[in-house]
Amino acid sequence: MEMPSLHPRPSDDREREELDLNESLAMTAVIHGTVQGVGFRYWAWRHAEKLGLVGHATNNSDGTVTIEVEGPRWALQELLKSLNSSDTPGVVMTVDAHYGPVTGRFSEFTRN
């Protein structure tokens, strides 16, 4: 027996929206785990720089690291994929990421 889909199929008369992978966006990611004192911000800076992203990485008093970056959607997705990989220094438990409009307040990537 086939289960009904929980998601309706797009109607034939409606065009599918294509994601613009070059659209500039801002992303704020809070990384939870053992991510302070292990070179995590340096690692994030190097990855963001390779992807052409601008922003900063900051240690928070609760042991998390916040990364705020801006750049093309495809680069933000690549950084997020890297943040969730096993290649990071320390131990990443979860990454809470949120997207928004570009603010233009960054001109390079810094580590605070």
Side-chain angles (χ1 to χ4, degrees), residues 4 6 14 19 33-34 36-37 44 47 52 56-57 60-61 65 76 80-81 86-87 89 93 100 106 112:
L6 295 176
R14 191 174 72 194
L19 275 182
T34 306
Q36 290 189 15
H47 274 14
H56 67 93
N60 301 315
S61 61
V65 170
L76 296 176
L80 187 57
K81 202 181 317 179
S86 61
D87 297 333
M93 300 301 288
F106 305 112
N112 299 343

Side-chain angles (χ1 to χ4, degrees), residues 7 12 15 31 33 37 43 71 74 103 109:
H7 304 286
D12 292 333
E15 290 184 37
I31 297 87
W43 178 90
W74 68 266
T103 65
F109 194 92

Side-chain angles (χ1 to χ4, degrees), residues 3-14:
M3 296 294 291
S5 173
L6 295 176
H7 304 286
R9 293 191 172 134
S11 61
D12 292 333
D13 59 338
R14 191 174 72 194

Side-chain angles (χ1 to χ4, degrees), residues 16-78:
R16 287 189 85 121
E17 270 188 52
E18 293 288 327
L19 275 182
D20 179 1
L21 296 178
N22 291 313
E23 175 187 14
S24 289
L25 294 172
M27 179 178 76
T28 300
V30 178
I31 297 87
H32 302 262
T34 306
V35 290
Q36 290 189 15
V38 295
F40 188 87
R41 288 178 301 139
Y42 177 80
W43 178 90
W45 164 65
R46 298 291 295 154
H47 274 14
E49 191 175 66
K50 285 180 195 174
L51 294 167
L53 298 170
V54 296
H56 67 93
T58 306
N59 283 339
N60 301 315
S61 61
D62 63 359
T64 62
V65 170
T66 297
I67 297 175
E68 293 183 277
V69 289
E70 296 183 350
R73 180 188 302 269
W74 68 266
L76 296 176
Q77 289 175 340
E78 285 299 313

